């Protein structure tokens, strides 16, 4: 940590300045003029010095368990402010020494589930609840949301991110930012930019075309920043085209501030960047979590002239503008008692809308709550609320599926329940021994999947239906292993096979529930299931949410925010992503830091080629591989049916108003998602077959009820980045507007001449 000793030494060395101005909103430049060089450098270097990675979650000042702080300068009235993780809820320590109270935070659904709602109003409500906890626990800035693109399903942090599409990602992130910041606290959208891989994340170089950067990997951030004005942005660990993201002046200054008009502060990821002076010169204002060596390096670079005082003062000014907006500066006294019960209800509402019904043959679901069910799979009894690492939350509880089904009125098959009660107790003891000494960034050992053959056969006679839960949890610091995380294990496949065979022999239905943070292989086993429910990681209320969908109390309305391919090798980035690293030591993924500039020599580890360009996800499949899709981007089933009619595309100021009338033609109430894609001429620039340009979710429609969904498509959203002239260009010609249920749906079409 940058200790109080260092700060005291600086202050002691400048006693004549004790009568300096006290910081106000309107005297920031005056305060900067009164600051010593040492104070300026201290302000820009985080409060957790000398520990770097060990400082995560171990802040010794401010709020226990917070990720870090921005140092204060008491003599100038500059308070220390507190920064804390995370994307699915505030991450602080739930217990404090000498205090009998607990300080739990709501475990909200993961980001991928929130984007699956396609409901930005709902996401904003989640943000409002999350931001209230930030405020009431005394934190000033929460380090989220994450908005990186789902480039490849094996990325270890996809659960923290929203989508493969920059529009859906950007709009969802904007809603979250607006909700959180409505409480008068800040956000830090991350990880900026082109951060789509964890393996060698501190030194990997993403080799990306300018067009792909502008249209895919920067566009998501641009949308969120322009719409929601986050207080801060966090740069990523990786290099991009040979320049470290935290030291890239063209992006951090010319594009971010010059083109997009961002006025907030930029901070490094914890331990990110290599050169303190290079970071500040580029426009990365705060170096987190700080270290004495980085403080000294920053100081020396100003003294020797390699860093200008102008660049230093610009960063200091932006940090002070952040501080004067903070609750700490405003003198807010946190209650340390947010309404967790009310926030759990918000969590539940969001999770209910983000669950996706992928398959439902012969109306296998909903299954009445008066039925007896056989509940299989270790994850059913140890539900996964969220991912690991800095995206984790210390929640007050997690409702597993067994508890959720009981709350919904289901009876569990006694034989199956008794078997798992004994088995899970044994596995809990085994896992406890293994997990006892593991550091925070290692995946927790979980119960091994089991196939109780006799129990399965007996339950097929006694139960009315079977539910099987498949679970996956992972997180920061490593990517997923293709063989052991993406593919189902032999036991999982056998469990699905045996349960399906036994229950189908009795004319009974089998539902597979996917409690996962990222996609798994589905093609090999999906024919054995009558229904498949993708519930992601639904937060602390997960078991209740899934039970409400299974019973029909809630009609599923989630839609996929990414494409589910037939097989991994159909993924457009499959040839340029680390598929397996089991033969590498773990620290190859997490700690590979090299003095100076790393040597980018080993493909997919030292550097990663983004050869697919703009053809990420559905853009690739719709254009080049229509038959490679199991479930298309935007796909989702309902317990009711909808009829669309009357597509209109009308010119408006700055764009087009698109409207579609949606009618519920089924027997139960439900919500539908209207997605508007645009097919461009593509005469001078190659263009995907279609690209998402707008979307909207209807309110809950009763049977027979109609609603006209209106969606505005900005004119500039149709432009492509032409590398030949380094400009955004909208090609003249006929554009086809397509209102569709998913990226593969023919939909309703209307041509417009532009």
């Amino acid at each position: 940590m940058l200790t109080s000793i260092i700060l005291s030494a600086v202050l002691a060395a400048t006693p004549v300045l004790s009568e300096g101005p006290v910081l106000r909103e309107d005297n920031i430049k005056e305060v900067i003029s009164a600051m010593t060089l040492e104070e300026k450098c201290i302000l820009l270097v985080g409060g957790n010095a000398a520990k770097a990675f060990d400082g995560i979650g171990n802040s010794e000042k401010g709020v226990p368990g917070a990720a870090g702080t921005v140092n204060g300068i008491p003599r100038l009235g500059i308070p220390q402010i507190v920064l804390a993780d995370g994307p699915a809820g505030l991450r602080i320590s739930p217990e404090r020494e000498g205090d009998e109270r607990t300080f739990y935070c709501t475990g909200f659904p993961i980001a991928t589930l929130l984007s699956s709602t396609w409901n930005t109003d709902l996401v904003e409500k989640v943000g409002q609840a999350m931001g209230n906890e930030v405020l009431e626990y005394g934190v000033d800035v929460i380090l989220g949301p994450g908005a990186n693109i789902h480039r490849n399903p094996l990325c270890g942090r996809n659960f923290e991110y929203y989508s493969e599409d920059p529009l859906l990602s950007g709009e969802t992130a904007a809603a979250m930012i607006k909700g959180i910041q409505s409480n008068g606290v800040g956000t830090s959208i991350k990880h900026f930019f082109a951060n789509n891989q964890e393996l060698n994340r501190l030194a990997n170089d993403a080799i990306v075309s300018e067009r792909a950067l502008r249209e895919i990997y920067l566009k998501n951030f641009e949308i969120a920043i322009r719409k929601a004005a986050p207080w801060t942005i966090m740069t990523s660990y990786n290099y991009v085209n040979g320049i470290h993201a935290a030291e890239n002046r063209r992006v951090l200054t010319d594009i971010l501030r010059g083109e997009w008009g961002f006025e907030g502060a930029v901070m490094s990821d914890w331990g990110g960047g290599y050169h303190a002076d290079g970071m500040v010169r580029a426009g990365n204002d705060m170096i987190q979590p700080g270290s004495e060596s980085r403080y000294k390096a920053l100081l020396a670079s100003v003294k020797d002239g390699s860093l200008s005082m102008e660049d230093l003062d610009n960063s200091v000014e932006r940090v002070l503008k952040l501080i004067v907006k903070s609750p700490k500066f405003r003198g807010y006294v946190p209650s340390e008692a947010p309404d967790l019960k009310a926030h759990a209800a918000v969590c539940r509402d969001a999770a209910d809308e983000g669950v996706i019904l992928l398959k439902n043959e012969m109306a296998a679901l909903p299954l009445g709550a008066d039925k007896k069910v056989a509940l299989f799979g270790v994850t059913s009894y140890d539900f996964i609320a969220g991912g690991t690492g800095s995206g984790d939350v210390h929640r007050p509880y997690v409702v597993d599926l067994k508890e959720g089904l009981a709350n919904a009125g289901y009876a569990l098959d006694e034989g199956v329940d008794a078997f798992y009660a004994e088995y899970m107790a044994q596995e809990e003891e085994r896992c406890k021994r293994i997990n006892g000494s593991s550091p925070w960034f290692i995946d927790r050992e979980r119960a091994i999947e089991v196939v109780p053959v006799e129990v399965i056969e007996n339950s097929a006679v006694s139960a009315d239906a079977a539910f099987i839960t498949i679970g996956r949890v992972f997180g920061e610091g490593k990517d997923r292993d293709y063989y052991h995380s993406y593919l189902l294990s032999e036991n999982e496949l056998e469990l699905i096979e045996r349960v399906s065979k036994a229950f189908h022999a009795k004319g009974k239905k089998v539902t597979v529930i996917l409690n996962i943070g990222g996609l798994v292989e589905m093609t090999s086993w999906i024919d054995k299931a009558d229904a498949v429910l993708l519930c992601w990681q639904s937060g602390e209320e997960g078991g209740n949410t899934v039970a409400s969908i299974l019973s029909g109390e809630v009609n599923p309305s989630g839609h996929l925010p990414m494409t589910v391919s037939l097989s991994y090798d159909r993924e457009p980035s499959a040839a340029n992503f680390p598929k397996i690293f089991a033969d590498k030591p773990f620290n190859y993924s997490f700690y590979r830091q090299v003095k100076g500039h790393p040597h980018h020599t080993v493909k997919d580890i030292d550097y990663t080629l983004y050869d697919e360009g703009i053809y990420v996800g559905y853009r690739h499949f719709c254009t080049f591989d229509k038959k490679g899709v199991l479930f298309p981007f935007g796909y989702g089933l309902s317990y009711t049916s909808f009829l669309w009619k009357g597509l209109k595309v009308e010119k408006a100021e700055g764009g087009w108003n698109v409207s579609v009338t949606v009618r519920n033609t089924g027997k139960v109430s439900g919500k539908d998602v209207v997605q508007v894609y645009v097919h461009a001429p593509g005469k001078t620039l190659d263009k995907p077959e279609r690209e998402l340009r707008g979307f909207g979710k209807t309110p809950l429609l009763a049977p027979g009820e109609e609603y006209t969904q209106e969606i505005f498509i900005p004119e500039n959203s149709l432009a492509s980045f032409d590398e030949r002239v380094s400009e955004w260009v909208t090609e003249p010609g006929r554009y086809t507007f397509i209102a569709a249920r998913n990226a593969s749906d023919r939909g309703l079409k209307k041509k417009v001449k532009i």
Side-chain angles (χ1 to χ4, degrees), residues 433-446:
R433 291 194 298 272
I434 295 174
N435 291 330
S437 58
S438 297
W440 67 272
F441 49 80
I442 297 288
D443 286 341
R444 303 292 88 182
E445 178 74 6
R446 289 175 51 80

Side-chain angles (χ1 to χ4, degrees), residues 573-700:
S573 60
N576 294 288
F577 195 89
K579 186 174 182 180
I580 180 172
F581 54 95
D583 60 332
K584 304 290 192 301
F586 180 79
N587 61 11
Y588 207 68
S589 174
F590 194 72
Y591 283 125
R592 192 165 187 251
Q593 185 107 259
V594 184
K595 290 183 179 179
H597 285 285
H599 300 288
H600 294 128
T601 57
V602 183
K603 183 178 179 294
D604 297 337
I605 296 177
D606 288 336
Y607 67 93
T608 300
L609 300 174
Y610 285 51
D611 283 354
E612 69 279 4
I614 63 170
Y615 292 96
V616 178
Y618 74 88
R619 285 170 166 81
H620 163 82
F621 289 104
C622 290
T623 308
F624 303 117
D625 191 13
K626 291 181 173 66
K627 295 182 179 180
V629 176
L630 181 63
F631 296 112
F633 172 85
Y635 177 90
L637 299 176
S638 172
Y639 293 151
T640 191
S641 56
F642 298 96
L643 175 67
W644 294 8
K645 61 182 179 181
L647 171 64
K648 294 181 181 179
V649 180
E650 299 174 330
K651 191 70 179 76
E653 184 177 353
W656 290 267
N657 288 325
V658 178
S659 62
V660 178
T661 299
V662 180
R663 183 185 181 191
N664 184 346
T665 56
K667 297 181 179 180
V668 297
S669 298
K671 298 182 179 183
D672 202 9
V673 174
V674 177
Q675 302 159 41
V676 178
Y677 298 87
V678 174
H679 169 77
K683 294 179 180 179
T684 58
L685 282 174
D686 65 300
K687 298 283 286 184
E689 180 65 24
R690 59 173 64 182
E691 295 180 279
L692 184 71
R693 294 306 185 207
F695 62 90
K697 193 166 193 176
T698 70
L700 187 69

Side-chain angles (χ1 to χ4, degrees), residues 295-581:
Y295 160 71
K296 290 179 177 178
L298 196 60
L299 194 64
S301 65
V302 180
K303 290 181 177 180
D304 67 19
S306 58
L307 177 64
S308 71
M309 185 62 76
E310 180 183 4
D311 283 338
L312 187 75
D313 284 351
N314 285 340
S315 286
V316 169
E317 182 175 359
R318 288 190 285 260
V319 173
L320 291 179
K321 286 181 177 179
L322 167 67
I323 289 173
V324 298
K325 292 194 292 186
S326 69
K328 190 66 59 63
F329 181 82
R330 299 196 312 269
Y332 185 81
V333 179
S335 68
E336 297 188 328
D339 190 344
L340 297 184
K341 185 175 181 180
H343 296 168
V346 175
C347 169
R348 173 78 183 274
D349 289 343
D352 285 355
E353 282 206 29
V355 174
I356 304 168
L357 182 61
L358 292 177
K359 181 179 180 181
N360 195 23
E361 293 292 330
M362 303 296 291
L365 295 177
L367 182 72
D370 58 338
K371 304 294 185 181
K372 178 187 285 189
V373 298
L375 185 58
F376 294 99
V378 295
T379 304
S380 298
Y381 302 86
D382 184 17
F383 226 56
I384 304 168
T388 61
S390 61
D392 197 6
V393 181
H394 296 294
R395 313 165 188 82
Y397 61 87
V398 177
V399 178
D400 62 29
L401 188 52
K402 175 183 175 179
E403 182 182 354
L405 292 175
N407 292 341
Y410 284 101
L412 296 183
D413 183 272
E414 298 85 353
V416 178
D417 188 43
F419 168 81
Y420 276 100
E422 181 179 354
Y423 179 76
M424 293 300 288
Q426 295 171 355
E427 283 293 279
E428 183 179 0
E429 288 300 315
R430 183 185 66 83
C431 294
K432 189 182 299 182
R433 291 194 298 272
I434 295 174
N435 291 330
S437 58
S438 297
W440 67 272
F441 49 80
I442 297 288
D443 286 341
R444 303 292 88 182
E445 178 74 6
R446 289 175 51 80
I448 298 172
E449 196 60 81
V450 63
V451 185
V453 178
E454 186 176 349
V455 173
I456 292 171
E457 295 295 334
N458 292 338
S459 66
V461 176
S462 56
D464 297 305
F467 297 151
I468 307 169
T469 306
I470 301 296
R472 288 291 185 276
V473 63
F474 39 84
E476 179 180 6
K478 63 275 177 194
D479 290 309
R480 299 171 61 196
D481 185 281
Y482 169 77
Y483 294 100
H484 301 99
S485 182
Y486 180 76
L487 298 182
L488 268 60
S489 69
E490 290 183 6
N491 278 8
E492 288 170 330
L493 291 173
E494 185 181 355
L495 180 64
I496 294 173
E497 171 72 31
R498 287 188 177 274
V499 171
S500 175
K501 185 176 181 180
F503 275 75
H504 287 166
K506 301 295 183 182
K508 299 175 181 178
K509 306 295 186 182
V510 176
T511 297
V512 173
I513 299 152
L514 298 174
N515 180 203
I516 54 181
L519 294 177
V520 295
E521 189 275 332
M522 302 184 201
T523 305
S524 66
W525 55 265
I526 199 162
D527 287 344
K528 298 177 177 63
D530 301 289
V532 177
L533 201 65
L534 176 54
C535 71
W536 298 116
Q537 292 165 349
S538 311
E540 62 189 35
E541 286 285 321
N544 286 331
T545 281
V546 174
S548 68
I549 301 283
L550 294 170
S551 68
E553 178 188 349
V554 172
N555 189 350
S557 61
H559 288 247
L560 284 169
M562 78 289 287
T563 306
V564 179
S565 60
L566 278 172
S567 62
Y568 177 77
D569 59 8
R570 308 292 282 259
E571 296 287 338
S573 60
N576 294 288
F577 195 89
K579 186 174 182 180
I580 180 172
F581 54 95

Side-chain angles (χ1 to χ4, degrees), residues 256-270:
L256 175 64
R257 294 186 169 103
E259 293 184 23
W260 301 352
F262 177 66
E263 296 181 348
V266 176
M267 71 177 76
S268 72
D269 203 342
W270 266 229

